[in-house]
């Protein structure tokens, strides 16, 4: 056989080997993480629930999901073992120091000048501030006016034998 014809098969087998190798490494790391759990450790399940480990068994773990509330989970359902600082920050809100600006609930403060009722101009050096502003809102007078019915055009004289377009023999 020609080695050139075997080349696609060799590349395919090599790619499969590399993919299974990385997957096995991830599985081994997850199993090691689950085996290193100890009672009192904070964990996150694969469903996103945060809890504290109370007891460990061969294939199961007892988690305290709330004070006095215990649940039995499979060890495979533990998604991450958290260190104490991260667990306390997430669950109890410890260390939630907000640095930076607070985002407002509405966008009005982003479009208005501080303490003014007029919108902020895009360019202060532009002479467009002298121009009249365009009002894009509905006019109050236009809402009060009702459209008038226009009289319909009378049909032309139609002979009894002739039918206009759209008319049918209704008897």
């Amino acid at each position: 056989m020609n080695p050139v014809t075997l080349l696609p098969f060799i590349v395919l087998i090599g790619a499969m080997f590399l993919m299974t190798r990385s997957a096995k490494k991830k599985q081994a790391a997850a199993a090691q993480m689950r085996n290193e759990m100890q009672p009192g450790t904070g964990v996150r399940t694969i469903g996103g629930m945060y809890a504290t480990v109370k007891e460990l068994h061969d294939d199961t773990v007892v988690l305290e999901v709330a004070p006095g509330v215990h649940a039995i989970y499979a060890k495979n359902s533990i998604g991450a073992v958290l260190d104490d600082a991260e667990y306390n920050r997430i669950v109890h809100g410890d260390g939630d120091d907000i640095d930076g600006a607070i985002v407002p609930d509405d966008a009005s403060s982003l479009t208005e000048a501080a303490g003014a009722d007029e919108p902020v101009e895009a360019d202060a050096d532009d002479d467009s501030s002298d121009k009249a502003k365009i009002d894009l809102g509905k006019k109050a007078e236009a809402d009060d006016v009702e459209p008038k019915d226009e009289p319909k055009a009378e049909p032309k004289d139609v002979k009894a034998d002739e039918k206009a377009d759209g008319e049918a023999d209704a008897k």
Side-chain angles (χ1 to χ4, degrees):
M1 270 210 139
N2 191 359
V4 175
T5 58
L6 293 176
L7 186 63
F9 294 112
I10 293 171
V11 170
L12 181 65
I13 292 171
M16 290 174 50
F17 174 74
L18 291 176
M19 287 190 297
T20 56
R21 183 176 169 204
S22 65
K24 285 182 183 179
K25 282 184 179 180
K26 288 180 183 178
Q27 287 178 350
Q32 181 182 2
M33 172 205 55
R34 291 181 187 115
N35 289 334
E36 292 177 356
M37 283 188 301
Q38 298 174 0
T41 306
V43 295
R44 182 183 65 236
T45 65
I46 57 174
M49 183 179 65
Y50 293 92
T52 305
V53 176
K54 286 298 172 183
E55 296 177 20
L56 290 168
H57 301 288
D58 292 335
D59 294 333
T60 60
V61 61
V62 177
L63 300 178
E64 184 176 30
V65 296
V69 179
H70 296 83
I72 300 172
Y73 280 84
K75 275 190 177 180
N76 291 339
S77 67
I78 304 301
V81 177
L82 308 172
D83 60 351
D84 291 337
E86 183 179 5
Y87 179 76
N88 288 333
R89 182 184 60 82
I90 293 170
V91 175
H92 302 297
D94 295 347
D96 280 343
D97 297 333
I98 299 175
D99 294 334
I102 297 175
V103 179
D105 289 340
D106 60 347
S108 63
S109 64
L110 301 175
T111 57
E112 294 178 359
D117 292 335
E118 295 181 18
V120 175
E121 293 294 326
D123 191 11
D125 296 335
D126 193 11
D127 291 335
S128 65
S129 61
D130 296 338
K131 296 179 184 177
K133 295 184 181 180
I134 299 172
D135 184 21
L136 299 177
K138 291 183 178 180
K139 302 283 184 190
E141 305 89 41
D143 292 340
D144 297 334
V145 177
E146 295 179 8
K148 295 180 181 179
D149 293 333
E150 295 182 14
K152 294 183 180 179
E154 295 293 324
K156 296 180 182 178
D157 293 333
V158 178
K159 296 180 183 177
D161 295 340
E162 295 179 10
K163 296 182 185 96
D165 289 339
E167 292 181 5
D169 278 331
K171 293 186 180 181

